Amino acid sequence: MPTGRDEQPGARGAALLAALLLGGQLLAACGGEAGAGTRPTINFYIYPDNSGAVQQAVDTCTKSSGGRYVIKYQKLPTGADGQRQQMVRRLAARDSAMDVLGLDVTWAPEFAGAGWIREWTGANKAQAMEGTLKGPLETASYKGKLYGAPYNSNTQLLWYRSDLVPTPPATWDEMIDMSIALAKQGKPHYIEIQGNQYEGITVWFNTLLASAGGSVLTADGKRASLGPPAVKALTVMQRLATSQAADPSLSVQMENDNRLAMESGTAAFELNYPFVYPSMKSNQPRLFKNFRWAPYPAVIAGQPAHVTIGGINLAVSKYSSHPDEAFQAALCLRNRANQKVGAVKGGVPPSISDLYDDPSLQADYPFRKDIQASLATAAVRPLTPAYQNLSIVISHAVSPPASIKPQSTEKKMASQLKDALVSKGLIP
């Protein structure tokens, strides 16, 4: 019931305006409707990008839609685990305000298995697959169906300082030996890699395991594989972690920590994604003059490494109120022009094959052929709805790396993976 003060004409008008504004905000948040006429808002949830490439794609695709929709860039948390948690929580609640979702390459089976994302079919599927690399498409598929359009791909290279090591190491043993020799000379020598207890250390282990000829699961995905290749991979991790080559903060380091350490001048080697290249160029021009790249070091001499593939796939939420527009927006966001911007501005490898042959990328993306070669022999993490459980088991078993005991760690991990596959026992 209105009070006497509210009954004054001016106050009543202000209250009505406030109610309309509040209602409009709620509609925008819940229903995905834009303020510009009747155009729907397509909410695009993806990692926070500081390079500006994602926002540029959002703006370009909104404009090219011809007024059919407005794309809004919704930034997820920085870490992959936080990104997944937010999306899982909201999709489980059937949140209709999520339209296009940027999924890590390991999430499609889980999200598709739960019925949270739509299958790509017909003309949309054909457009998403045209000219796209095989590896990224594999990560976007589940049970023979496509559930995502590869937005970008990713893989790690060895980055090193040519003023310290004119010839890059070909194997992990060579790299650790070089690092120890530099330490004895009092020179920058650390090897930077992801040692924190999170997805990054699982990726490190998976790369070493695949490079040693093994896999986490058997080919049918029903049992743990591991065995002697896993012991070999664990031996490499333990040797690094207990040597002078290890950064003292190895056990808490993530990708960005590695980048910053390399840019600070204390490291000689870095295993990381190509985003480090434009960053070094911008932040440390002096060190950039000697900043080089090489293939990821082998575990077994003479046998190439199989680096774990990364990247993002774009999925459309089952609960989106505008699925047709969401599919069209996703196709635009990952088109050739926008992937080229992502490579140049953000250092992110494209998922479209012929971009690696584009000579106009040479100046800003000179390592593109090495990326392409790495993707051609990449290792894929287990494609199973239980992947999150498997990753937690692995990351806990190998963390901190200095505590690894290769033989016993392999046995313990195999037992816990067996339980995790059937949701038995307690996940660490």
Side-chain angles (χ1 to χ4, degrees), residues 54-65:
V54 172
Q55 187 62 58
Q56 183 172 330
V58 164
D59 295 341
T60 299
C61 290
T62 292
K63 187 177 180 180
S64 66
S65 78

Side-chain angles (χ1 to χ4, degrees), residues 274-338:
F275 80 102
V276 301
Y277 186 80
S279 179
M280 180 67 87
K281 185 177 183 179
S282 173
N283 296 338
Q284 288 291 354
R286 182 180 60 82
L287 294 180
F288 180 74
K289 294 176 182 176
N290 295 301
F291 194 51
R292 300 289 185 270
W293 64 92
Y296 196 99
V299 171
I300 300 173
Q303 298 184 19
H306 298 288
V307 187
T308 302
I309 193 171
I312 296 293
N313 297 317
L314 299 187
V316 173
S317 168
K318 176 184 176 182
Y319 308 109
S320 169
S321 301
H322 313 286
D324 292 341
E325 291 85 353
F327 275 113
Q328 290 305 302
L331 286 170
C332 179
L333 289 165
R334 53 89 59 190
N335 69 20
R336 193 176 190 283
N338 287 326

Side-chain angles (χ1 to χ4, degrees), residues 367-404:
F367 41 81
R368 65 190 191 283
K369 286 296 183 183
D370 297 278
I371 293 288
Q372 187 180 31
S374 180
L375 290 173
T377 59
V380 176
R381 282 165 279 180
L383 296 174
T384 166
Y387 177 76
Q388 197 62 26
N389 289 347
L390 304 184
S391 179
I392 292 172
V393 165
I394 294 170
S395 64
H396 281 69
V398 300
S399 178
S403 71
I404 291 173

Side-chain angles (χ1 to χ4, degrees), residues 49-374:
D49 167 48
N50 296 324
S51 75
V54 172
Q55 187 62 58
Q56 183 172 330
V58 164
D59 295 341
T60 299
C61 290
T62 292
K63 187 177 180 180
S64 66
S65 78
R68 287 184 296 130
Y69 52 78
V70 175
I71 305 174
K72 189 171 183 180
Y73 177 16
Q74 305 281 8
K75 296 181 180 179
L76 290 167
T78 301
D81 292 345
Q83 293 168 20
R84 176 187 165 277
Q85 287 170 8
Q86 183 177 133
M87 285 196 282
V88 166
R89 189 169 58 246
R90 295 180 63 174
L91 290 168
R94 304 190 175 192
D95 187 341
S96 63
M98 305 185 88
D99 299 295
V100 178
L101 312 174
L103 304 186
D104 186 275
V105 291
T106 63
W107 298 343
E110 178 188 9
F111 282 48
W116 293 332
I117 53 178
R118 297 171 186 262
E119 181 186 354
W120 285 69
T121 61
N124 290 334
K125 177 182 179 181
Q127 191 173 339
M129 294 181 67
E130 184 178 5
T132 301
L133 293 165
K134 179 182 176 183
L137 280 174
E138 185 179 352
T139 68
S141 302
Y142 177 59
K143 291 187 174 179
K145 298 179 180 179
L146 187 69
Y147 285 95
Y151 180 59
N152 55 45
S153 190
N154 224 340
T155 188
Q156 293 188 334
L157 294 175
L158 167 63
W159 307 89
Y160 68 100
R161 282 180 50 177
S162 61
D163 56 327
L164 297 172
V165 281
T167 302
T171 68
W172 269 89
D173 281 338
E174 286 181 17
M175 181 166 61
I176 294 172
D177 289 343
M178 287 181 178
S179 174
I180 293 172
L182 288 170
K184 290 178 179 176
Q185 299 170 45
K187 295 182 178 179
H189 62 278
Y190 292 140
I191 296 173
E192 301 294 335
I193 194 161
Q194 302 80 50
N196 201 349
Q197 190 181 84
Y198 78 122
E199 183 64 19
I201 198 169
T202 300
V203 168
W204 180 18
F205 171 73
N206 191 66
T207 293
L208 297 178
L209 173 61
S211 301
S215 60
V216 174
L217 301 182
T218 54
D220 61 10
K222 295 182 178 178
R223 292 178 292 114
S225 180
L226 301 184
V231 175
K232 178 66 176 174
L234 293 166
T235 301
V236 172
M237 297 175 82
Q238 190 240 13
R239 185 189 174 208
L240 170 64
T242 56
S243 74
Q244 289 177 287
D247 188 306
S249 58
L250 169 65
S251 63
V252 295
Q253 283 199 317
M254 301 170 76
E255 291 88 347
N256 211 38
D257 303 309
N258 303 141
R259 175 186 66 84
L260 293 171
M262 194 77 183
E263 291 179 3
S264 75
T266 59
F269 306 99
E270 176 182 13
L271 288 308
N272 215 332
Y273 299 98
F275 80 102
V276 301
Y277 186 80
S279 179
M280 180 67 87
K281 185 177 183 179
S282 173
N283 296 338
Q284 288 291 354
R286 182 180 60 82
L287 294 180
F288 180 74
K289 294 176 182 176
N290 295 301
F291 194 51
R292 300 289 185 270
W293 64 92
Y296 196 99
V299 171
I300 300 173
Q303 298 184 19
H306 298 288
V307 187
T308 302
I309 193 171
I312 296 293
N313 297 317
L314 299 187
V316 173
S317 168
K318 176 184 176 182
Y319 308 109
S320 169
S321 301
H322 313 286
D324 292 341
E325 291 85 353
F327 275 113
Q328 290 305 302
L331 286 170
C332 179
L333 289 165
R334 53 89 59 190
N335 69 20
R336 193 176 190 283
N338 287 326
Q339 290 204 30
K340 187 173 180 179
V341 172
V344 173
K345 276 193 168 183
V348 183
S351 64
I352 295 176
S353 178
D354 70 1
L355 276 171
Y356 291 91
D357 300 318
D358 186 340
S360 68
L361 281 173
Q362 178 59 31
D364 295 308
Y365 215 67
F367 41 81
R368 65 190 191 283
K369 286 296 183 183
D370 297 278
I371 293 288
Q372 187 180 31
S374 180

